[in-house]
Amino acid sequence: MLPPVNLRPSFNITRSSHVRLTVADLAESRNFYVNVLGLVVSDEDERTCYLRGLAEACHHSLVLELDEEGPGRSRRIGFRVFLDEDLDLAYAWFRERGLPAEWVDEPYQGRTLHVSDPIGTPLELCAHMETRPRLHIDFASYKGAHAQRLDHYQTFAPDTYELCAFYGELGFRNSEYLEHGDKLLGAFMYRKGTCLDLAIIENSGPALHHFAYTVSESHDIFTACDWAGIQG
C-alpha cells in the first residue's frame, strides 16, 4: 500500500530544477558534460561551471563546484516552486517540523532556500532563475548525446515508505512503485507533467544514485557511449 498524497500541499513544488555537484577536476568534469552529454555552458569561472540542456531556457540545471580536497559528491538537489511566496511557506513548514531551513544567496537565482528532508537529503528551493536562449534548434551547438533537459533524480533511503509519505505530503504523486510482499521498495514520484521527478529506492542513505537528462532519440544514448569511449 502506498502512503496518502496531499493534493493541496502547503507550498507548491512544480518540478525538478537543478543539481549541485562537487568535482575534483573541474576541467575534466566540464569536458565530460559538454562533449559526452552535450550540455551547454551558461557561465563559468575558475571554480564553478553552470550548465544547461539544449532545450532549457533557465540558466542552469547542473552546477559543478571545484573541491580538490575530496571525491565528487552531490551537494544539493534542487526543486522549483511556483511563486516566490511559496518559499516563505516552505520555510515556515520545514521549521515547524524541526527540519533545517535557511536562506542563502546563490548566483543566477532569485531567493533561495536550503532545506533537508527527514533523512538528511540536502534540498534547494527557488522560484526564479535567470534565462538564456534555448539552443534546441541551434544544431551547430550540438555535441555528444544532445542532452535536452533535466528530467529526474534517484535517491537512496533507509525506509522508502516513510520518505515516500514525506514527499506525498508535499504533493508528489506516484506513477509507479516496487514492492515485495507488503514492503515498499521503490517509489517513482512526480510533480511536473511527466512520470518522474524523484525516485526513492530502499538502500543505505541518504545518497544520490543518479540524475537523468532526456534526449530526443534513442540513438543519442549510443552516441554518448561512443563519445565516452573516445574521451576515455
Side-chain angles (χ1 to χ4, degrees):
M1 172 182 280
L2 292 170
V5 174
N6 183 358
L7 299 179
R8 294 184 176 179
S10 299
F11 57 95
N12 188 7
I13 292 175
T14 60
R15 63 178 177 87
S16 50
S17 171
H18 58 282
V19 60
R20 295 183 181 274
L21 304 179
T22 62
V23 297
D25 189 320
L26 187 59
E28 282 298 316
S29 296
R30 179 192 189 280
N31 177 59
F32 172 81
Y33 286 106
V34 170
N35 291 313
V36 176
L37 294 193
L39 299 181
V40 178
V41 175
S42 296
D43 280 285
E44 60 184 328
D45 57 34
E46 67 277 3
R47 299 197 64 86
T48 311
C49 184
Y50 299 87
L51 302 114
R52 69 187 192 279
L54 291 162
E56 292 178 317
C58 289
H59 183 271
H60 54 267
S61 55
L62 174 62
V63 183
L64 305 176
E65 301 175 350
L66 181 62
D67 180 5
E68 305 101 321
E69 300 304 317
R73 61 184 177 86
S74 170
R75 282 195 59 230
R76 297 268 164 186
I77 58 175
F79 290 102
R80 189 66 55 85
V81 298
F82 187 52
L83 298 171
D84 198 65
E85 65 192 52
D86 286 306
L87 294 172
D88 297 303
L89 295 171
Y91 179 86
W93 192 90
F94 278 86
R95 285 289 182 131
E96 286 168 3
R97 286 156 181 78
L99 295 170
E102 63 175 345
W103 299 104
V104 297
D105 292 321
E106 293 290 358
Y108 309 108
Q109 296 175 192
R111 286 202 307 159
T112 301
L113 182 62
H114 278 182
V115 297
S116 297
D117 66 20
I119 67 167
T121 308
L123 310 175
E124 183 169 293
L125 306 179
C126 67
H128 303 288
M129 190 179 287
E130 289 187 18
T131 60
R132 296 290 186 271
R134 297 183 195 272
L135 298 175
H136 58 297
I137 58 173
D138 183 5
F139 301 113
S141 301
Y142 276 33
K143 295 181 179 181
H146 312 163
Q148 298 294 309
R149 61 172 179 80
L150 180 69
D151 186 67
H152 70 266
Y153 318 112
Q154 180 173 304
T155 62
F156 288 157
D159 189 318
T160 299
Y161 186 92
E162 290 297 324
L163 201 59
C164 179
F166 171 81
Y167 284 100
E169 179 62 25
L170 300 185
F172 284 73
R173 304 185 192 189
N174 285 276
S175 58
E176 300 177 75
Y177 62 94
L178 299 172
E179 65 178 5
H180 180 70
D182 60 356
K183 185 174 182 60
L184 183 65
L185 298 177
F188 300 84
M189 310 187 79
Y190 68 94
R191 286 295 289 165
K192 64 179 182 295
T194 65
C195 69
L196 191 57
D197 283 286
L198 176 66
I200 304 167
I201 302 298
E202 191 148 317
N203 206 328
S204 299
L208 175 67
H209 181 264
H210 70 259
F211 58 98
Y213 280 82
T214 61
V215 295
S216 299
E217 304 286 348
S218 59
H219 70 76
D220 290 329
I221 299 173
F222 295 102
T223 300
C225 295
D226 292 339
W227 271 100
I230 293 170
Q231 296 291 313

